[in-house]
Amino acid sequence: MADRLAAIQRALDEFRMDEARALAAEELAEKPSAAAYYLASLASRNHGQRVEFLQKALQLDPDHARASEELRDMQPPDDRASVQAASKEPTLQLAGLTRRFAALLFDATIISAMTMLVLLANDSFAPLQDALYSADEQAATAAFRHFQQATILHNLLLSVLYQAAFMTILNGQTPGKMVFNLRVVKQNGKRITILDALLRNGFGYTVSQLFLLGFIWAWVDDDQQAWHDKMAGTIVIDLSPPDDADAPAG
């Protein structure tokens, strides 16, 4: 029904994904069509299901341009010539959470070192040292709080710049992700933009760090997306050969 297809599109536009999936399931049960399968692919829970729905849309309508384009863009460049013969197995392998955490620690170590260097260059340690050697306990406490605030602010700004710059220049990778052979991409496999990188690693990371709930969410999510991935529409993929790739943690 046209009304239900329009309702699915509205739910997708407003990021009401559970409602979009429910409406799509009803539409496919009553009247499967290329349009319904395409909308269902946009609301799919994981990469493999998205591929399956796109393929079914093309089976019903081989001329469905948007489904064809989406499916083509989800393939690595070297495999695009064989899209029509592609199997239903996902072509992008989600990264294991253990390696993602290790890459995060690697980058955090670099960012922490950069923060200390910036604080040294700004002579931010000097007032703290002077206050600690003084007999004024109140002044020492105030100096420590000021130093703590400066450290957090510098670390946050450097983290956003570091992550966004490297992910834009290195196509979804930071030094840590390069070491562990990981890459951040859009859910359809496309390269992320600088806006995606800023949203994911600036505002998104801040939200995910609330009691670490945003990171913990990745352990129960079908696509292993943390909250910052959800906000930016990204996934983290493993670039290792299949035999060397870690099994997804959690």
Side-chain angles (χ1 to χ4, degrees), residues 90-157:
T91 57
L92 299 178
Q93 167 126 0
L94 293 175
L97 296 179
T98 301
R99 292 173 65 186
R100 286 176 60 178
F101 182 69
L104 187 64
L105 286 181
F106 188 98
D107 288 325
T109 302
I110 296 176
I111 295 168
S112 296
M114 292 170 58
T115 301
M116 291 299 104
L117 290 174
V118 171
L119 291 173
L120 283 171
N122 291 341
D123 287 331
S124 297
F125 286 96
L128 179 61
Q129 287 178 317
D130 293 341
L132 290 176
Y133 284 115
S134 73
D136 191 340
E137 183 177 343
Q138 186 174 1
T141 301
F144 177 77
R145 287 178 178 172
H146 177 75
F147 176 76
Q148 187 179 46
Q149 292 171 355
T151 301
I152 293 173
L153 179 61
H154 281 81
N155 186 265
L156 177 60
L157 291 175

Side-chain angles (χ1 to χ4, degrees), residues 44-47 94 100 187 221-225 235-236:
S44 59
R45 290 184 176 276
N46 54 60
H47 180 79
L94 293 175
R100 286 176 60 178
Q187 284 182 284
D221 187 78
D222 289 333
D223 283 335
Q224 298 186 10
Q225 291 176 297
I235 55 174
V236 183

Side-chain angles (χ1 to χ4, degrees), residues 15 186-187 195-196 198-208 225-234:
F15 299 100
K186 297 292 287 182
Q187 284 182 284
L195 292 179
D196 296 323
L198 287 171
L199 176 60
R200 181 184 190 274
N201 303 295
F203 184 69
Y205 261 14
T206 302
V207 173
S208 284
Q225 291 176 297
W227 285 354
H228 49 273
D229 287 308
K230 291 287 186 186
M231 295 176 66
T234 58

Side-chain angles (χ1 to χ4, degrees), residues 149-220:
Q149 292 171 355
T151 301
I152 293 173
L153 179 61
H154 281 81
N155 186 265
L156 177 60
L157 291 175
L158 285 172
S159 177
V160 173
L161 292 174
Y162 173 95
Q163 298 277 353
F166 275 117
M167 284 195 181
T168 303
I169 296 170
L170 300 179
N171 187 15
Q173 289 187 298
T174 59
K177 286 180 171 56
M178 290 181 69
V179 168
F180 290 93
N181 224 10
L182 310 177
R183 171 169 286 141
V184 177
V185 298
K186 297 292 287 182
Q187 284 182 284
N188 60 8
K190 291 183 179 180
R191 178 175 183 152
I192 65 172
T193 66
I194 187 169
L195 292 179
D196 296 323
L198 287 171
L199 176 60
R200 181 184 190 274
N201 303 295
F203 184 69
Y205 261 14
T206 302
V207 173
S208 284
Q209 287 171 2
L210 294 174
F211 304 106
L212 298 180
L213 292 177
F215 293 99
I216 294 172
W217 181 263
W219 292 83
V220 299

Side-chain angles (χ1 to χ4, degrees), residues 60-86:
L60 294 174
D61 181 7
D63 296 325
H64 197 295
R66 297 181 69 180
S68 179
E69 181 181 355
E70 286 277 349
L71 190 60
R72 183 182 66 251
D73 289 343
M74 291 172 72
Q75 311 302 317
D78 292 342
D79 294 340
R80 288 178 183 172
S82 59
V83 165
Q84 298 300 324

